[in-house]
Structure formats: structure tokens, C-alpha cells
Amino acid sequence: INGANLIDGFNGLLAINLIIINIILTYINVQNSNIELSFFITGQIIILLSFLLFNFPNAKIFLGDSGSYLFGSLTALNTIVTNNFNPNYSSFFFCILLFYIFFEVFFSFLRKVVQKKSPIRPDNKHLHMLTFEKIASKFGRNKGNYINSVVINTVYSALVVPSLLFAKDPLLSRYWFFFLIIIYLLVYFRLYRLTKN
């Protein structure tokens, strides 16, 4: 829930990410005949798509704190209920699914503690802000805003969607989850050095 609020700030970044997560959850529930839950999640996807029409690429409206907390809560609920209804799927698969918004908060907290900063005070060193600085230097800040969302969610999809192939295998799902952590850290520190220079 906090991760949803943390990454909200670039046009479409949170909304697209939640749409991807909820489409995968809907797919799992349809495959396993959980029709009522599928309808519930599909309704949220339709609302997020409708919102996206006015938020991407140029923002006329915003989710804000209340919207990001609401949809972060609903997506957390969707994931927990889907996990409960489909016990044949590895719980680590659902960790993979929520990896980006979870690890962004977790890593940010640890990073600030190591840097001897207050972990509850905001800064501009989150992954999506570092990617924005790099993209904005090429495309300008206005275009960079929504291109950043496209790049992050494209990479996120490329890393998460393949895990559907082994979503029922706890061992492979666990390995893939830790592989994603390594990828995140490598990308983060590379971008951190580049933006610092």
C-alpha cells in the first residue's frame, strides 16, 4: 500500500503497474474458475483504464494520496484473496508480482538508514526518479515524465510475465524473486553512479 503511494508521481506509472498486476490476477482467477473475484478485479481494471485516459500521457487528473492508497489497498486485497483461492500457486509468485512496489519501499528505507538519513523523510533517489533524470536528459522533462512510466512498466512486465510459466513451482519462484532483487540493485547502483557523475 505504501509502495503504491511511493511510486505515484509520474504520469501513468502507478496506474499502468496496477493494471498489469490486476490483469495477471484476473488471468489466474479465470483459469481457475473464480468468476466472482475475476469480475471484481476486472471492475478495478476498467476504472484504472478510465483514469489513465485523463492521466497519460498528459495529466489532467491525478490519483493523489487517497487514490493511490485506495488502489494499493485493493490490489493488496486482490493478491491475498487470489493466493487463498489458488493454493496451487506459489506464494513467492505473488511476491514476484508485487516485487516492484514492495522493494521500492523496502530498499528506500534501508538505503536511508545506511546513509544516516531519516527513513521517513522523502528524497529524490528512488529508482523511478533516477530513471527519470536519465530519460529527461534525452527527451526533456515533459516527455520524460510519461516515457519514464512506459520504460519502467515495460521492464517490469518483461521480468514478471515469464514467471507465470513456473508460478506453481515454489523453488523456481523463490529463485526468480531473488534474481529480481539482484537486477533491481544492479540497475539502481548503475543509475545512481551515472546521475551522481
Side-chain angles (χ1 to χ4, degrees):
I1 295 167
N2 193 32
N5 188 51
L6 182 68
I7 71 167
D8 183 38
F10 290 100
N11 298 355
L13 179 58
L14 176 61
I16 294 169
N17 191 260
L18 295 182
I19 288 167
I20 295 165
I21 292 169
N22 283 312
I23 286 173
I24 293 171
L25 293 174
T26 303
Y27 169 78
I28 291 169
N29 285 300
V30 167
Q31 290 288 313
N32 292 278
S33 303
N34 300 316
I35 303 304
E36 288 182 11
L37 181 56
S38 300
F39 277 126
F40 180 69
I41 300 173
T42 302
Q44 294 168 49
I45 294 170
I46 292 168
I47 292 168
L48 286 166
L49 286 169
S50 302
F51 164 78
L52 207 55
L53 291 173
F54 301 97
N55 181 256
F56 185 86
N58 299 313
K60 297 178 181 69
I61 60 172
F62 303 92
L63 279 174
D65 288 344
S66 57
S68 58
Y69 283 133
L70 171 66
F71 281 102
S73 300
L74 288 170
T75 302
L77 179 67
N78 297 342
T79 306
I80 292 166
V81 175
T82 300
N83 190 11
N84 289 341
F85 281 8
N86 302 281
N88 52 330
Y89 280 78
S90 168
S91 294
F92 263 95
F93 168 74
F94 296 102
C95 293
I96 291 167
L97 197 56
L98 300 177
F99 165 78
Y100 173 56
I101 54 179
F102 148 73
F103 197 69
E104 188 74 37
V105 174
F106 183 76
F107 177 70
S108 176
F109 186 91
L110 287 180
R111 172 178 58 80
K112 290 176 187 176
V113 168
V114 169
Q115 293 173 335
K116 295 184 171 36
K117 296 178 181 176
S118 170
I120 59 173
R121 293 188 62 89
D123 68 6
N124 61 351
K125 300 299 180 192
H126 303 294
L127 178 65
H128 57 282
M129 293 176 171
L130 297 180
T131 56
F132 171 70
E133 289 302 322
K134 194 73 181 152
I135 291 167
S137 67
K138 291 186 179 179
F139 297 99
R141 297 189 80 79
N142 286 340
K143 274 190 179 178
N145 188 305
Y146 63 83
I147 292 173
N148 188 38
S149 300
V150 172
V151 169
I152 287 176
N153 282 304
T154 300
V155 173
Y156 166 80
S157 298
L159 291 171
V160 168
V161 170
S163 66
L164 277 166
L165 298 172
F166 49 83
K168 296 176 183 179
D169 186 322
L171 189 61
L172 280 176
S173 294
R174 186 178 296 123
Y175 286 153
W176 194 259
F177 176 72
F178 290 115
F179 168 72
L180 292 181
I181 290 176
I182 292 166
I183 293 292
Y184 179 101
L185 293 173
L186 289 173
V187 170
Y188 181 88
F189 287 117
R190 174 72 176 155
L191 284 170
Y192 185 80
R193 280 195 293 271
L194 287 173
T195 53
K196 201 173 180 182
N197 293 337

